[in-house]
Amino acid sequence: MTSLVVPPSTLGSSFFSWFASSSSNNSLNPPKIFRKTPSNAVALYPISLKSSNRPSFDRFPRTKIWATLGEKDPNGAAPLQVVEESSSSIVDEEVEKSVKVLKDAAKTRRVAAEEVLSALSVLEKAKLDPSKFFNTLGGTSSPGRTWMLIFTAEKKLEKGRYFPLTAIQRFDAAGKRIENGVFLGPIGSLTFEGRMSWKNRILAFIFERIRIKFGPLEPLEISLGKKDEREPSSKDPFFIWFYVDEELAVARGRSGGTAFWCRCRRVNT
C-alpha cells in the first residue's frame, strides 16, 4: 500500500487535526493515542529560504505622486512632470520576509510562535494572486502532491503552536481528490479520503471513506455513506488559501484557524 511519511529529524512531528473539520468538531487538540512520530521518514528536499517562487500580486499598487510647478523635479524631469512611485515593492519585501520566517520555522521548529503568527498575518493580508495556487498545491497529474502540517493558529491569529504529530495532506488537482492522514510509522495510520473542488482561492471537500491500518495488516476501509456525487461547496468543509509555492502553503479553515504546511514526499512502503 502507498503511505505518506516525512522526516521527524528535519521538520518534527505533527498531526493534521483539520481532517476532523468534516464534522462539527474542529478542535486543534490531537488525541493522545497518536503522539508518536514514524522513524522511517523521508524528506522531499530541504527547505530553502529562497522566495523566487513567490506568486505575483493581484492588487493595484498604491502611488506616491508629486508634481513640480515651474521648475524641474529632483531627477531633472520637465516642469509639471507627474511621477508615480509604486509601493508594491514594500509589500513584496514584507511577503518575502514572512515566507522566509515560515520556511525557517518548518526547517528548525525553533522560530517563536509570535513571529510565525506575525508572518501568517502578513500573508493573509497580502491578497496574492491565487491563479496558480491549485496546480502548485495539487500538481498536474495524479496522485498529486503531499504536504505536512507544521503549525496551527487559533482564530484571529491570537495563539498558535507547532503541531506535535506527523500529519500529511494529499491534494490531487487532476483527479480532484483529497486525503488527510496521521501516520504512526510501523504502528499504522488513519486516513480520510474524498473529493474536492476549487473556486478562486477556496478548496472545498467532502470525505467519503476512512482507512485504518495496523502494522503489516491490510487496511480496513469504512465508507462514510457519501453516495451523492455533487461538487463540494462552501457549505462543506473548506480551506481559503493565502499563499502557495513549491515548498510552502498557508490557508485558513472553516473554523477560522490558520495553518501552514511544508511540501513532503509520498513514498511506497
Side-chain angles (χ1 to χ4, degrees), residues 57 59-62 85-94:
F57 291 84
R59 61 191 302 171
F60 289 103
R62 291 167 294 174
E85 182 180 325
S86 173
S87 65
S88 62
S89 59
I90 298 176
V91 178
D92 185 54
E93 183 178 353
E94 291 177 350

Side-chain angles (χ1 to χ4, degrees), residues 7-12 43 45-47 105-109 148:
S9 61
T10 303
L11 298 176
Y45 41 82
I47 291 294
K107 181 179 179 180
T108 67
R109 299 178 70 86
M148 186 176 78

Side-chain angles (χ1 to χ4, degrees), residues 98 114 219 250:
S98 297
E114 292 76 12
V250 178

